[in-house]
């Protein structure tokens, strides 16, 4: 699977999104569309982006009973998205049903299916005291990643710092928490530059504000691409 920069399109409307895409000129990058934009603009916007030639990672993090996830994924597969995801905590059966739904819905090449192991908003205290899970965060991440592999998924979302473990398991890693050197960390805690993510073996980096918040978005995108993909 080829290395690529994915731009996190955390915009509140399609107008804002298309205004941003205009600034990238002739470039048609891989875009991450998340809940905020999708729940406002719906599947039609995704179809339009596909018609315009963009690759789409639809980041909706599905988590429900296997049959519901299977049927939902059949619909997402028919949208022609290139990558999507589920929560690994839904279990192996849910993940394998997600994969089956995507395969059926896409009728051709199945989109890349990624599992969320633990959200970065979950910490050791929450794991122990709210979720009543006695294992360490790291053990749950490794086991959830192995479950994703058993279910036939392609990989996981993780920090670039965890990418080497994921590579060992022969899985794809999709890594957010990326900043160009000199940029603000914002609310991210453990960050990495595109160059470091490459060195650590990330397959895809997800970059939001370092590109969307840059004065020259095209130059920032090209810098990420050069550091990570060359
Ligand atoms: O702007 P920034 O580069 O921090 O955006 C990162 C993107 O990756 C956001 O869309 C965020 O929701 C997403 N993400 C993350 N950490 C995770 C999973 C997803 O930052 N563990």
């Amino acid at each position: 699977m080829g290395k690529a920069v994915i731009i996190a399109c955390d915009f509140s409307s399609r107008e804002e999104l298309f205004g941003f895409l205009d600034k990238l000129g002739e470039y048609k990058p891989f875009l991450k569309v998340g809940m905020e934009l999708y729940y406002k603009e719906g599947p039609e916007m995704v179809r339009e982006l596909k018609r315009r030639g963009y690759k789409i990672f639809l980041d909706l993090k599905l988590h429900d009973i296997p049959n519901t996830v299977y049927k939902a994924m059949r619909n997402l597969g028919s949208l022609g998205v290139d990558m999507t995801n589920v929560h690994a905590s839904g279990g192996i059966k849910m993940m394998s049903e997600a994969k089956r739904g995507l395969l059926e819905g896409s009728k051709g090449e199945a989109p890349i299916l990624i599992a969320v192991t633990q959200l970065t908003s979950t910490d050791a205290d929450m794991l122990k005291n709210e979720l009543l899970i006695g294992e360490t965060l790291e053990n749950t991440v490794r086991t959830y990643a192995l479950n994703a592999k058993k279910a036939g998924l392609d990989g996981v979302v993780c920090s670039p710092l965890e990418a080497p473990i994921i590579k060992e398991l022969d899985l794809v890693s999709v890594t957010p928490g990326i900043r160009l050197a000199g940029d603000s960390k914002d609310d991210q805690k453990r960050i990495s530059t595109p160059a470091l993510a490459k060195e650590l073996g990330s397959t895809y980096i997800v970059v939001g504000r370092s590109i969307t918040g840059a004065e020259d978005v095209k130059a920032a995108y090209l810098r990420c691409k050069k550091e990570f993909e060359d």
Side-chain angles (χ1 to χ4, degrees):
M1 230 159 269
K3 293 207 167 242
V5 174
I6 303 178
I7 304 182
C9 294
D10 294 318
F11 299 110
S12 56
S13 67
R14 81 187 275 298
E15 289 72 29
E16 253 185 66
L17 169 66
F18 284 102
F20 166 74
L21 295 177
D22 283 347
K23 294 187 198 156
L24 287 167
E26 71 275 28
Y27 292 98
K28 303 265 177 188
F30 210 132
L31 306 176
K32 180 171 89 73
V33 172
M35 293 186 198
E36 182 187 7
L37 199 50
Y38 188 76
Y39 290 149
K40 173 133 198 297
E41 305 291 355
E44 193 39 47
M45 184 197 66
V46 174
R47 287 192 197 98
E48 187 175 349
L49 288 167
K50 287 303 300 175
R51 281 196 297 272
R52 292 190 187 198
Y54 295 96
K55 284 192 158 186
I56 305 294
F57 168 20
L58 193 55
D59 178 19
L60 298 181
K61 302 186 178 72
L62 273 66
H63 187 179
D64 207 319
I65 59 170
N67 184 52
T68 302
V69 170
Y70 159 70
K71 288 180 175 164
M73 279 297 184
R74 246 187 358 196
N75 289 343
L76 296 188
S78 74
L79 276 180
V81 298
D82 302 276
M83 182 187 289
T84 189
N85 57 5
V86 291
H87 270 285
S89 52
I92 296 175
K93 174 77 176 163
M94 188 206 78
M95 289 192 275
S96 61
E97 285 296 278
K99 174 94 187 180
R100 189 165 74 89
L102 270 187
L103 278 168
E104 271 186 34
S106 59
K107 291 198 184 97
E109 207 182 321
I112 299 165
L113 183 56
I114 298 295
V116 177
T117 54
Q118 293 290 357
L119 293 170
T120 39
S121 50
T122 307
D123 60 13
D125 179 62
M126 180 179 164
L127 202 69
K128 184 163 177 266
N129 298 316
E130 286 183 38
L131 305 178
L132 305 183
I133 294 172
E135 290 290 333
T136 62
L137 208 53
E138 197 184 66
N139 276 348
T140 66
V141 168
R142 185 182 278 272
T143 302
Y144 287 12
L146 277 170
N147 289 348
K149 190 172 177 173
K150 281 183 198 155
L153 269 60
D154 301 290
V156 301
V157 183
C158 63
S159 153
L161 308 173
E162 290 153 8
I165 309 172
I166 301 306
K167 204 173 175 188
E168 247 174 55
L169 301 177
D170 206 20
L171 286 167
V172 161
S173 54
V174 178
T175 64
I178 304 291
R179 288 292 179 273
L180 285 165
D183 281 357
S184 153
K185 282 171 77 170
D186 303 303
D187 52 353
Q188 295 284 11
K189 292 202 176 83
R190 300 190 303 149
I191 55 164
S192 152
T193 60
L196 178 61
K198 178 182 181 179
E199 212 178 296
L200 292 168
S202 295
T203 324
Y204 295 91
I205 52 171
V206 175
V207 190
R209 286 162 288 182
S210 258
I211 296 175
T212 57
E215 226 158 87
D216 184 342
V217 300
K218 198 199 278 191
Y221 170 62
L222 292 177
R223 205 173 136 202
C224 289
K225 215 168 140 57
K226 187 165 172 40
E227 273 191 32
F228 185 69
E229 293 176 20
D230 281 359

